[in-house]
Amino acid sequence: MDIRNCRKCGRIFQYSGESPVICDNCKREQEKLFEQVRDYIRDNPGASMNQVSEENSVSINQIQQWVREERLEFSRESGVTFYCEKCGAPIRTGRFCNNCKNAMAQDLDSMYKKPVTAVPHKRRTERDAMRFMGKQDI
Ligand SMILES: [Zn+2]
Ligand SMILES: [Zn+2]
């Protein structure tokens, strides 16, 4: 059992291993706050980051974290822009632009797939070759 102090309220609670280290109470509070901010941005698409932060008593850091988690997205009118952590291109939500995301997904794909696909592919061609030779024999 992992007992920790909640990073938000300091209360001791049983930590389940998920980050961040906050208690269930604070998690619920944070969820409520998130919904409030999300609704606020939806209703006030032109609101700046400072405005959202002040009107909802939520830190800019927290807002930025939600955006990085792709849970929040600022509209074009807001003038709030985030930048891809890889290439610096302006993005609306998340941590990377679509180009970098696709490139990274492909990298991951090829890293992951190469050893797996190489073997059955070879086997298949060997089998095909054998079948082909068998046909020729007849
Ligand atoms: Zn707490
Ligand atoms: Zn990028």
Side-chain angles (χ1 to χ4, degrees), residues 15 25 42-44 70 72 102-103 109-110 118 120 122 124 129:
Y15 179 55
N25 256 342
R42 195 189 51 208
D43 297 340
N44 304 273
E70 297 192 21
L72 273 190
N102 288 340
D109 256 22
S110 54
K122 200 180 158 218
R124 206 186 308 128

Side-chain angles (χ1 to χ4, degrees), residues 14-112:
Q14 195 184 322
Y15 179 55
S16 61
E18 302 162 27
S19 57
V21 188
I22 54 172
C23 70
D24 286 342
N25 256 342
C26 291
K27 233 180 247 176
R28 266 197 298 275
E29 289 294 312
Q30 208 177 22
E31 234 16 61
K32 254 193 264 169
L33 193 61
F34 166 73
E35 279 164 23
Q36 184 193 321
V37 169
R38 187 195 54 198
D39 292 349
Y40 180 86
I41 290 175
R42 195 189 51 208
D43 297 340
N44 304 273
S48 69
M49 177 83 91
N50 278 329
Q51 203 178 330
V52 175
S53 162
E54 276 163 30
E55 298 281 320
N56 296 280
S57 323
V58 55
S59 72
I60 287 181
N61 268 344
Q62 178 63 77
I63 300 172
Q64 286 173 331
Q65 193 192 316
W66 283 328
V67 171
R68 278 197 296 267
E69 290 168 357
E70 297 192 21
R71 300 183 69 194
L72 273 190
E73 188 172 343
F74 280 84
S75 72
R76 232 170 263 277
E77 303 99 284
S78 69
V80 179
T81 309
F82 294 87
Y83 297 95
C84 172
E85 289 181 17
K86 223 176 152 78
C87 73
I91 51 175
R92 303 238 73 84
T93 188
R95 297 172 59 198
F96 304 103
C97 69
N98 282 335
N99 282 343
C100 289
K101 250 194 251 178
N102 288 340
M104 280 186 286
Q106 267 167 16
D107 279 359
L108 269 182
D109 256 22
S110 54
M111 250 165 32
Y112 187 72

